[in-house]
């Protein structure tokens, strides 16, 4: 296990939000690769369709709208929201079991979900933004996972989401990937060593 991060008796929760295409999946995967024993990502539930490169149970738990609504009624989600017309939610049970195992858990969720959690969860809130809207557009096109009208919709949402930056504890601009990664890992390392809360 890395000397820089050891985990804690009860793991920390990091909430990471960023406009689609900014690089949050890339950065969290880098952290998981470096600190595989102590960093885990919460696997959300969603009603959106699975994309070609995705694996059910690894990227998301893909469920029907009826199943999702049943889970809401059972209070299975610590937060949930409708994002781009589909439901997304974080499992309360999964989050707690991971924390109790001493791992730090990353919730990669939208700003609506993050704001819900600010009132009920002791977590570290990080916002990742693209260096510019033009670069965000380029990354969305380069990823080739959405078509034109979806990309336009996501760019509009990005402007709306960036207005929420003041509600987060940290703000990272993902310009050079390595620099953004060094900042993110520094935050995680510092938070694990924090004494006063
Ligand atoms: P998100 O999870 O925020 O939607 P991704 O991690 O899928 O975004 O990244 C979107 C695209 O941008 C991917 O093709 C990824 O390889 C690329 N990317 C991520 N960070 C950078 C960066 N700093 N510079 C250039 N390309 C990047
Ligand atoms: P995508 O479908 O492109 O993976 O994600 C679309 C958006 O939904 C992203 O902003 C992502 O962070 C957000 N999202 C993913 N899982 C959750 C979740 O469990 N809750 C909330 N509120 N948003 C989520």
């Amino acid at each position: 296990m890395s000397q820089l991060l050891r985990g804690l008796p009860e793991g920390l929760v990091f909430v990471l939000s960023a406009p689609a295409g900014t690089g949050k999946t890339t950065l969290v995967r880098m952290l998981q690769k470096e600190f595989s024993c102590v960093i885990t990502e919460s696997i959300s539930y969603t009603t959106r369709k699975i994309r070609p490169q995705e694996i059910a149970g690894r990227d998301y738990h893909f469920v029907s709208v009826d199943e999702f609504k049943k889970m809401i009624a059972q209070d299975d989600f610590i937060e949930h929201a409708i994002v781009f017309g589909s439901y997304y939610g974080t499992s309360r049970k999964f989050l707690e079991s991971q924390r109790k195992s001493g791992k730090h858990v990353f919730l990669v969720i939208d700003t609506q979900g993050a704001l819900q959690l600010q009132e009920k969860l002791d977590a570290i809130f990080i916002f990742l933004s693209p260096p510019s809207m033009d670069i965000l557009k380029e990354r969305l096109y380069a990823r080739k996972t959405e078509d034109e009208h979806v990309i336009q919709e996501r760019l509009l949402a990005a402007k709306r989401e960036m207005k929420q930056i003041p509600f987060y504890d940290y703000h990272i601009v993902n310009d050079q990937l390595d620099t953004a990664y060094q900042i993110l890992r520094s935050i995680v390392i510092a938070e694990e060593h924090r004494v006063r809360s």
Side-chain angles (χ1 to χ4, degrees), residues 44-45 61 82 118 178:
S44 296
Y45 285 76
H61 297 291
I82 295 178
Q118 284 191 340
D178 270 355

Side-chain angles (χ1 to χ4, degrees), residues 12-195:
L12 301 171
V13 181
F14 293 88
V15 175
L16 179 67
S17 303
T22 303
K24 52 194 181 300
T25 309
T26 307
L27 284 163
V28 173
R29 297 241 159 104
M30 288 168 79
L31 261 184
Q32 280 182 296
K33 197 168 167 209
E34 183 175 357
F35 302 110
S36 58
C37 299
V38 284
I39 301 275
T40 185
E41 186 182 347
S42 165
I43 303 163
S44 296
Y45 285 76
T46 183
T47 61
R48 90 148 155 71
K49 280 201 191 118
I50 187 165
R51 294 182 187 135
Q53 313 87 329
E54 287 180 324
I55 298 174
R58 181 197 71 175
D59 296 291
Y60 285 102
H61 297 291
F62 295 93
V63 294
S64 68
V65 173
D66 282 349
E67 284 171 300
F68 198 99
K69 286 186 174 165
K70 197 172 154 205
M71 290 182 76
I72 297 175
Q74 290 168 181
D75 200 25
D76 287 347
F77 298 119
I78 189 159
E79 65 73 36
H80 68 274
I82 295 178
V83 190
F84 306 120
S86 299
Y87 283 98
Y88 290 83
T90 303
S91 157
R92 197 186 288 280
K93 216 166 148 185
F94 181 82
L95 176 62
E96 281 316 312
S97 71
Q98 293 298 309
R99 284 187 73 187
K100 295 241 161 72
S101 74
K103 290 190 177 187
H104 305 313
V105 190
F106 264 77
L107 308 186
V108 183
I109 64 176
D110 88 317
T111 49
Q112 304 172 73
L115 293 183
Q116 288 173 38
L117 291 180
Q118 284 191 340
E119 288 153 25
K120 53 179 154 183
L121 192 70
D122 188 13
I124 298 114
F125 293 81
I126 306 172
F127 195 96
L128 184 72
S129 62
S132 69
M133 292 306 283
D134 281 346
I135 290 177
L136 180 62
K137 204 193 274 182
E138 277 171 25
R139 286 185 195 163
L140 280 170
Y141 278 108
R143 194 170 66 173
K144 297 192 177 96
T145 51
E146 287 94 358
D147 49 32
E148 177 72 32
H149 83 277
V150 176
I151 290 181
Q152 290 308 327
E153 182 190 47
R154 297 205 163 197
L155 288 170
L156 261 178
K159 288 191 183 143
R160 218 172 36 234
E161 288 177 303
M162 301 225 307
K163 295 204 175 110
Q164 309 296 332
I165 294 172
F167 297 104
Y168 285 73
D169 298 310
Y170 295 98
H171 177 206
I172 306 173
V173 178
N174 184 16
D175 188 352
Q176 294 301 314
L177 185 62
D178 270 355
T179 308
Y181 180 63
Q182 290 309 325
I183 299 169
L184 179 63
R185 92 196 258 285
S186 304
I187 293 169
V188 177
I189 294 165
E191 289 292 340
E192 191 189 88
H193 293 78
R194 178 188 283 279
V195 178

